[in-house]
Amino acid sequence: MHISSRGLLAAALTALLLAGCGLQPGIIERPSPADPDRLLQQAAQQAPDQAALTRLEAADILAREGRRPQALEVAREIDDRQLAPEARRRWALLLSALGESENAPRAVLQATELLDEVDLPREQALVLLERQGMALSRVDEPEAAVRALLRVQAATDREDLNDPIWQQLSRLAPSTLAELGRGADELTRGWLTLAELVRDGGGDIARLLARLDDWRVRYRGHPATRRLPEEITALRALRGQEVRHIAVLLPESGPLAGIADALKKGMRTHHLSVLNEGGRGVQLTFLDTRQAGLDTLYQEAVDRGAQVVIGPLDKDRVSALERREQVPLPTLALNYGEGERNHAKGLFQYGLSAEDEARLAARRAWMDGHRRASLLVPDNAWGRRVGEAFFTAWRERGGEIAHAVRYNPGIPATEATRRAVQNPTPDMLFLLALPDYARQVPPTLDYYYAGDLPIYATSHLYQGQPQPRLDRDLDDVMFVDIPWQIPDAAVGGVEALPFLTNYHQLREESDPTLFRLMAMGVDAYELARRLPQFLAIPDSEFFGATGTLTIAEDGRIHRRLPWARFADGIPQPVLSPGVFADDRAR
């Protein structure tokens, strides 16, 4: 900001004159600052352009008085198009500052739309662009956030932006990183290379650190070379803590044996792939959970030198573990316990949870603008659990429930579907169903003149192989699934999938009905190798065959999945809803 020296001199002379005259502070009447409430009353009687300026003055006074929530409310309601350019810049800076301090990222984004509409002085533009990037990161728009923050860093070379850039960059899918790399400058290429290096490092910390040293030589002048992001620096403390031996606790007989075999096939396939690609693999020891109790199995794992355990698979055993204070070895259970929270230190829980998918459906439908939902779920324990997960996530956002219908999977879908769309009319339908039942629902909606009702479904309606003739009845239905099942929708094509070699081998050799479980086995092996990293960097994300995986505070692993929409019976990509129709941070 430029401050006039003449103004400073005048202020100093005035102070000297007052001091020389020995005047008491109360003798001179100073005009009291304008009353913001009175200004707001005046604005209600003024023409639009004058009213906008008056409200801006009121918001500014409110902010300086410490009444920031009210200032934010007033500033958000100003029609900034009525303001002159200079006043409009003041409004954008004020609103974005208030949005930051009051945890209102949408207000920041409202203010920073000005970046596309008005020429701004360089420093003001950079302030707004940085605030925009930070706000985008808080509304789950990592790509746009990265683009905005990289523009600021390119203009300023600031190292303090390294951590926020890395936090968002590390969340991006491989296909998005590739898109960022097209025509990228040296700064961006350095960041993308660093992200690829860390992501491909797996659990081999020594190899990762060696490659990191090579990166710093190659990008000698890069801001991250001068000061690495804290999350990467934390990896140095893990040197020597690599996982070398994993005990896998799975049944070799009984009702869960088939599932266990599919999981083991995924683990073994990925294990061999790591070795073939020059990585340092781990020793796998398989122990049969049908032959002993958990304490005996843990003791055998310890005696054999295991550092980490994968399993058990049985839900009751996982529930028993999560009630303990801690487990003998860091453990990646392959199911979720029945408790509301996991209480055992060192226990992590991972599975292909339909409840996760229901929560994703609620989030997506809300972001798409829907507010009144109907649910169509099977009348069994599975349907109740998944339906409750959607119900809770939907109500937490403020959504209404029109109808929650539990159906009998053994009879036609006609009556249950009719009940789901009767008055009060929903504006979306959440569907949990296997393929044969799911294919009946859209034609039944057509029959009841509700064919335009958007349907959000879980992965269970898709068998994993394109069947255009059978699945044409599902056209326009949106659903989530793992990247390995819908590669075009997930990452833009098969070649961009994580663990591509494993994908090809398992896809060609495997029973399609077990393919998701084999993908889970691949990710379980990789998660177990990376447990020390997840413990050191709790906010880490892992891009796997079964989705983007994150670990909650209680050790439960959640999946973020891509969306697809049936078109002519084939799953096709769905654009993610964003803050902007176009990318304003480009």
Short mmCIF file of all heavy atoms in Angstrom, two decimals, residues 312 315 318-323 331-344 346-352 356 520 527 531 550-552 554-558:
data_model
loop_
_atom_site.label_atom_id
_atom_site.label_comp_id
_atom_site.label_asym_id
_atom_site.label_seq_id
_atom_site.Cartn_x
_atom_site.Cartn_y
_atom_site.Cartn_z
N PRO A 312 -8.00 -60.23 10.79
CA PRO A 312 -8.86 -61.27 10.23
C PRO A 312 -9.93 -60.71 9.29
O PRO A 312 -10.06 -59.50 9.13
CB PRO A 312 -9.50 -61.89 11.48
CG PRO A 312 -9.56 -60.74 12.46
CD PRO A 312 -8.32 -59.94 12.20
N LYS A 315 -16.25 -60.78 10.62
CA LYS A 315 -16.71 -59.55 11.26
C LYS A 315 -16.74 -59.66 12.78
O LYS A 315 -16.41 -58.69 13.48
CB LYS A 315 -18.11 -59.20 10.73
CG LYS A 315 -18.52 -57.76 10.96
CD LYS A 315 -19.87 -57.48 10.28
CE LYS A 315 -20.17 -56.00 10.27
NZ LYS A 315 -19.32 -55.24 9.32
N VAL A 318 -13.24 -59.17 14.09
CA VAL A 318 -12.84 -57.77 14.00
C VAL A 318 -13.51 -56.97 15.12
O VAL A 318 -12.89 -56.11 15.75
CB VAL A 318 -13.18 -57.18 12.62
CG1 VAL A 318 -12.82 -55.70 12.55
CG2 VAL A 318 -12.46 -57.95 11.51
N SER A 319 -14.78 -57.26 15.37
CA SER A 319 -15.50 -56.57 16.45
C SER A 319 -14.83 -56.84 17.80
O SER A 319 -14.73 -55.94 18.65
CB SER A 319 -16.96 -57.01 16.49
OG SER A 319 -17.62 -56.66 15.28
N ALA A 320 -14.37 -58.07 18.01
CA ALA A 320 -13.69 -58.40 19.26
C ALA A 320 -12.37 -57.64 19.39
O ALA A 320 -12.03 -57.14 20.47
CB ALA A 320 -13.44 -59.91 19.32
N LEU A 321 -11.65 -57.51 18.28
CA LEU A 321 -10.39 -56.77 18.31
C LEU A 321 -10.60 -55.30 18.62
O LEU A 321 -9.84 -54.69 19.37
CB LEU A 321 -9.65 -56.92 16.98
CG LEU A 321 -8.94 -58.24 16.70
CD1 LEU A 321 -8.30 -58.21 15.32
CD2 LEU A 321 -7.89 -58.53 17.77
N GLU A 322 -11.63 -54.69 18.02
CA GLU A 322 -11.80 -53.25 18.18
C GLU A 322 -12.24 -52.87 19.60
O GLU A 322 -12.18 -51.70 19.96
CB GLU A 322 -12.78 -52.69 17.15
CG GLU A 322 -14.23 -53.02 17.38
CD GLU A 322 -15.15 -52.39 16.34
OE1 GLU A 322 -14.65 -51.70 15.43
OE2 GLU A 322 -16.37 -52.60 16.45
N ARG A 323 -12.64 -53.86 20.39
CA ARG A 323 -12.99 -53.58 21.79
C ARG A 323 -11.77 -53.63 22.72
O ARG A 323 -11.86 -53.25 23.88
CB ARG A 323 -14.06 -54.57 22.26
CG ARG A 323 -15.43 -54.35 21.62
CD ARG A 323 -16.51 -55.14 22.33
NE ARG A 323 -16.37 -56.57 22.15
CZ ARG A 323 -16.94 -57.28 21.16
NH1 ARG A 323 -17.69 -56.66 20.26
NH2 ARG A 323 -16.76 -58.58 21.07
N THR A 331 -2.25 -53.96 12.82
CA THR A 331 -3.15 -54.91 12.15
C THR A 331 -4.06 -54.20 11.17
O THR A 331 -4.71 -53.21 11.52
CB THR A 331 -4.01 -55.65 13.21
OG1 THR A 331 -3.14 -56.37 14.10
CG2 THR A 331 -4.98 -56.61 12.55
N LEU A 332 -4.11 -54.74 9.95
CA LEU A 332 -5.06 -54.27 8.94
C LEU A 332 -6.15 -55.32 8.81
O LEU A 332 -6.01 -56.30 8.07
CB LEU A 332 -4.35 -54.04 7.60
CG LEU A 332 -5.25 -53.57 6.45
CD1 LEU A 332 -5.73 -52.14 6.70
CD2 LEU A 332 -4.53 -53.66 5.12
N ALA A 333 -7.25 -55.14 9.55
CA ALA A 333 -8.38 -56.07 9.46
C ALA A 333 -9.07 -55.90 8.10
O ALA A 333 -9.15 -54.79 7.56
CB ALA A 333 -9.36 -55.82 10.59
N LEU A 334 -9.59 -56.99 7.57
CA LEU A 334 -10.23 -56.96 6.25
C LEU A 334 -11.74 -56.95 6.37
O LEU A 334 -12.45 -57.58 5.59
CB LEU A 334 -9.74 -58.15 5.42
CG LEU A 334 -8.24 -58.14 5.14
CD1 LEU A 334 -7.82 -59.38 4.36
CD2 LEU A 334 -7.82 -56.88 4.40
N ASN A 335 -12.23 -56.24 7.35
CA ASN A 335 -13.66 -56.03 7.55
C ASN A 335 -13.80 -54.91 8.57
O ASN A 335 -12.81 -54.44 9.14
CB ASN A 335 -14.33 -57.32 8.04
CG ASN A 335 -15.78 -57.42 7.61
OD1 ASN A 335 -16.46 -56.40 7.43
ND2 ASN A 335 -16.27 -58.64 7.44
N TYR A 336 -15.04 -54.51 8.80
CA TYR A 336 -15.32 -53.47 9.79
C TYR A 336 -16.08 -54.08 10.95
O TYR A 336 -16.98 -54.90 10.76
CB TYR A 336 -16.15 -52.34 9.16
CG TYR A 336 -15.42 -51.62 8.05
CD1 TYR A 336 -15.59 -51.99 6.73
CD2 TYR A 336 -14.55 -50.57 8.34
CE1 TYR A 336 -14.91 -51.35 5.71
CE2 TYR A 336 -13.87 -49.90 7.33
CZ TYR A 336 -14.06 -50.30 6.01
OH TYR A 336 -13.37 -49.66 5.01
N GLY A 337 -15.72 -53.65 12.15
CA GLY A 337 -16.41 -54.14 13.33
C GLY A 337 -17.79 -53.55 13.47
O GLY A 337 -18.18 -52.62 12.76
N GLU A 338 -18.55 -54.08 14.43
CA GLU A 338 -19.93 -53.65 14.64
C GLU A 338 -20.02 -52.37 15.46
O GLU A 338 -21.06 -51.71 15.47
CB GLU A 338 -20.72 -54.75 15.37
CG GLU A 338 -20.87 -56.05 14.58
CD GLU A 338 -21.92 -55.96 13.49
OE1 GLU A 338 -22.50 -54.86 13.32
OE2 GLU A 338 -22.16 -56.98 12.82
N GLY A 339 -18.96 -52.00 16.16
CA GLY A 339 -19.02 -50.82 17.02
C GLY A 339 -19.08 -49.53 16.24
O GLY A 339 -18.71 -49.47 15.07
N GLU A 340 -19.55 -48.47 16.91
CA GLU A 340 -19.61 -47.17 16.26
C GLU A 340 -18.21 -46.63 16.00
O GLU A 340 -18.00 -45.89 15.04
CB GLU A 340 -20.39 -46.17 17.13
CG GLU A 340 -21.88 -46.46 17.20
CD GLU A 340 -22.64 -45.35 17.90
OE1 GLU A 340 -22.02 -44.29 18.19
OE2 GLU A 340 -23.83 -45.54 18.17
N ARG A 341 -17.26 -46.99 16.87
CA ARG A 341 -15.87 -46.57 16.71
C ARG A 341 -14.94 -47.73 17.02
O ARG A 341 -15.29 -48.64 17.77
CB ARG A 341 -15.53 -45.39 17.64
CG ARG A 341 -16.15 -44.07 17.22
CD ARG A 341 -15.69 -42.95 18.15
NE ARG A 341 -14.25 -42.78 18.15
CZ ARG A 341 -13.57 -42.08 17.24
NH1 ARG A 341 -14.23 -41.50 16.25
NH2 ARG A 341 -12.26 -41.95 17.31
N ASN A 342 -13.77 -47.66 16.41
CA ASN A 342 -12.71 -48.60 16.73
C ASN A 342 -11.88 -48.02 17.88
O ASN A 342 -11.41 -46.88 17.81
CB ASN A 342 -11.82 -48.80 15.49
CG ASN A 342 -10.52 -49.48 15.82
OD1 ASN A 342 -10.48 -50.39 16.64
ND2 ASN A 342 -9.44 -49.03 15.19
N HIS A 343 -11.73 -48.77 18.96
CA HIS A 343 -11.03 -48.27 20.15
C HIS A 343 -9.62 -48.85 20.31
O HIS A 343 -8.88 -48.39 21.18
CB HIS A 343 -11.85 -48.59 21.40
CG HIS A 343 -13.19 -47.93 21.42
ND1 HIS A 343 -13.36 -46.59 21.70
CD2 HIS A 343 -14.43 -48.43 21.18
CE1 HIS A 343 -14.64 -46.29 21.63
NE2 HIS A 343 -15.32 -47.38 21.32
N ALA A 344 -9.24 -49.83 19.51
CA ALA A 344 -7.98 -50.53 19.71
C ALA A 344 -6.83 -49.79 19.03
O ALA A 344 -6.86 -49.55 17.83
CB ALA A 344 -8.07 -51.95 19.18
N GLY A 346 -3.53 -49.35 17.16
CA GLY A 346 -2.81 -50.20 16.22
C GLY A 346 -3.68 -51.00 15.30
O GLY A 346 -3.18 -51.74 14.44
N LEU A 347 -5.02 -50.89 15.43
CA LEU A 347 -5.95 -51.64 14.58
C LEU A 347 -6.50 -50.72 13.50
O LEU A 347 -7.05 -49.66 13.78
CB LEU A 347 -7.09 -52.21 15.41
CG LEU A 347 -8.19 -52.94 14.63
CD1 LEU A 347 -7.63 -54.18 13.93
CD2 LEU A 347 -9.35 -53.32 15.55
N PHE A 348 -6.36 -51.17 12.26
CA PHE A 348 -6.94 -50.48 11.11
C PHE A 348 -7.95 -51.41 10.45
O PHE A 348 -7.76 -52.63 10.45
CB PHE A 348 -5.85 -50.08 10.12
CG PHE A 348 -4.79 -49.20 10.72
CD1 PHE A 348 -3.69 -49.76 11.36
CD2 PHE A 348 -4.91 -47.82 10.68
CE1 PHE A 348 -2.72 -48.96 11.94
CE2 PHE A 348 -3.95 -47.01 11.26
CZ PHE A 348 -2.85 -47.58 11.88
N GLN A 349 -9.01 -50.85 9.91
CA GLN A 349 -10.08 -51.66 9.33
C GLN A 349 -10.34 -51.23 7.90
O GLN A 349 -10.52 -50.03 7.63
CB GLN A 349 -11.36 -51.53 10.16
CG GLN A 349 -11.20 -51.95 11.61
CD GLN A 349 -12.46 -51.75 12.43
OE1 GLN A 349 -13.56 -51.67 11.89
NE2 GLN A 349 -12.31 -51.65 13.74
N TYR A 350 -10.36 -52.21 7.01
CA TYR A 350 -10.49 -51.92 5.57
C TYR A 350 -11.40 -52.96 4.93
O TYR A 350 -11.31 -54.15 5.25
CB TYR A 350 -9.11 -51.95 4.92
CG TYR A 350 -9.08 -52.05 3.42
CD1 TYR A 350 -9.76 -51.11 2.63
CD2 TYR A 350 -8.38 -53.06 2.79
CE1 TYR A 350 -9.72 -51.21 1.25
CE2 TYR A 350 -8.33 -53.16 1.41
CZ TYR A 350 -9.00 -52.23 0.64
OH TYR A 350 -8.98 -52.31 -0.72
N GLY A 351 -12.28 -52.49 4.08
CA GLY A 351 -13.16 -53.40 3.35
C GLY A 351 -13.87 -52.67 2.23
O GLY A 351 -13.74 -51.45 2.08
N LEU A 352 -14.59 -53.43 1.43
CA LEU A 352 -15.39 -52.84 0.35
C LEU A 352 -16.76 -52.48 0.92
O LEU A 352 -17.76 -53.15 0.67
CB LEU A 352 -15.49 -53.82 -0.82
CG LEU A 352 -14.16 -54.28 -1.40
CD1 LEU A 352 -14.38 -55.16 -2.61
CD2 LEU A 352 -13.27 -53.10 -1.77
N ASP A 356 -19.85 -46.90 2.91
CA ASP A 356 -19.06 -45.83 2.31
C ASP A 356 -19.70 -45.35 1.00
O ASP A 356 -19.77 -44.15 0.72
CB ASP A 356 -17.63 -46.30 2.02
CG ASP A 356 -16.66 -45.99 3.14
OD1 ASP A 356 -17.06 -45.31 4.11
OD2 ASP A 356 -15.50 -46.42 3.06
N MET A 520 -9.08 -55.76 -3.89
CA MET A 520 -8.94 -55.45 -2.46
C MET A 520 -7.68 -56.12 -1.89
O MET A 520 -6.98 -55.53 -1.05
CB MET A 520 -10.18 -55.93 -1.71
CG MET A 520 -10.15 -55.66 -0.22
SD MET A 520 -11.67 -56.26 0.59
CE MET A 520 -11.15 -56.23 2.31
N LEU A 527 -1.39 -51.34 1.46
CA LEU A 527 -1.69 -50.61 2.69
C LEU A 527 -0.84 -51.10 3.85
O LEU A 527 -0.33 -50.32 4.65
CB LEU A 527 -3.18 -50.75 3.03
CG LEU A 527 -4.16 -49.90 2.23
CD1 LEU A 527 -5.59 -50.37 2.50
CD2 LEU A 527 -4.02 -48.43 2.58
N LEU A 531 1.76 -48.84 6.27
CA LEU A 531 1.22 -48.45 7.58
C LEU A 531 2.13 -47.48 8.33
O LEU A 531 1.63 -46.52 8.95
CB LEU A 531 0.93 -49.69 8.42
CG LEU A 531 -0.40 -50.40 8.15
CD1 LEU A 531 -0.59 -51.54 9.15
CD2 LEU A 531 -1.58 -49.44 8.22
N THR A 550 -8.30 -43.31 2.56
CA THR A 550 -7.84 -42.46 3.65
C THR A 550 -8.16 -43.14 4.97
O THR A 550 -9.10 -43.94 5.06
CB THR A 550 -8.51 -41.08 3.61
OG1 THR A 550 -9.94 -41.26 3.68
CG2 THR A 550 -8.16 -40.32 2.35
N ILE A 551 -7.38 -42.83 5.99
CA ILE A 551 -7.57 -43.44 7.30
C ILE A 551 -8.16 -42.42 8.25
O ILE A 551 -7.60 -41.34 8.45
CB ILE A 551 -6.24 -43.98 7.86
CG1 ILE A 551 -5.70 -45.06 6.92
CG2 ILE A 551 -6.44 -44.55 9.26
CD1 ILE A 551 -4.43 -45.72 7.41
N ALA A 552 -9.30 -42.74 8.83
CA ALA A 552 -9.94 -41.87 9.81
C ALA A 552 -9.19 -41.93 11.14
O ALA A 552 -8.31 -42.78 11.35
CB ALA A 552 -11.40 -42.28 10.01
N ASP A 554 -10.03 -43.04 13.92
CA ASP A 554 -10.17 -44.29 14.68
C ASP A 554 -9.60 -45.50 13.93
O ASP A 554 -9.81 -46.64 14.34
CB ASP A 554 -11.63 -44.54 15.06
CG ASP A 554 -12.50 -44.85 13.85
OD1 ASP A 554 -12.04 -44.63 12.71
OD2 ASP A 554 -13.64 -45.33 14.05
N GLY A 555 -8.88 -45.25 12.85
CA GLY A 555 -8.23 -46.34 12.14
C GLY A 555 -9.07 -46.98 11.06
O GLY A 555 -8.58 -47.89 10.36
N ARG A 556 -10.30 -46.55 10.89
CA ARG A 556 -11.13 -47.11 9.82
C ARG A 556 -10.78 -46.44 8.49
O ARG A 556 -10.68 -45.22 8.42
CB ARG A 556 -12.61 -46.95 10.14
CG ARG A 556 -13.04 -47.87 11.27
CD ARG A 556 -14.50 -47.75 11.61
NE ARG A 556 -14.89 -48.78 12.57
CZ ARG A 556 -16.07 -48.83 13.17
NH1 ARG A 556 -16.98 -47.90 12.92
NH2 ARG A 556 -16.36 -49.80 14.02
N ILE A 557 -10.63 -47.24 7.48
CA ILE A 557 -10.22 -46.75 6.17
C ILE A 557 -11.47 -46.50 5.33
O ILE A 557 -12.34 -47.37 5.20
CB ILE A 557 -9.27 -47.75 5.49
CG1 ILE A 557 -7.98 -47.81 6.30
CG2 ILE A 557 -9.00 -47.35 4.05
CD1 ILE A 557 -7.00 -48.87 5.84
N HIS A 558 -11.53 -45.30 4.77
CA HIS A 558 -12.65 -44.92 3.92
C HIS A 558 -12.20 -44.81 2.48
O HIS A 558 -11.06 -44.43 2.20
CB HIS A 558 -13.25 -43.60 4.39
CG HIS A 558 -13.83 -43.65 5.77
ND1 HIS A 558 -14.94 -44.40 6.09
CD2 HIS A 558 -13.43 -43.07 6.93
CE1 HIS A 558 -15.22 -44.26 7.37
NE2 HIS A 558 -14.31 -43.47 7.91
#
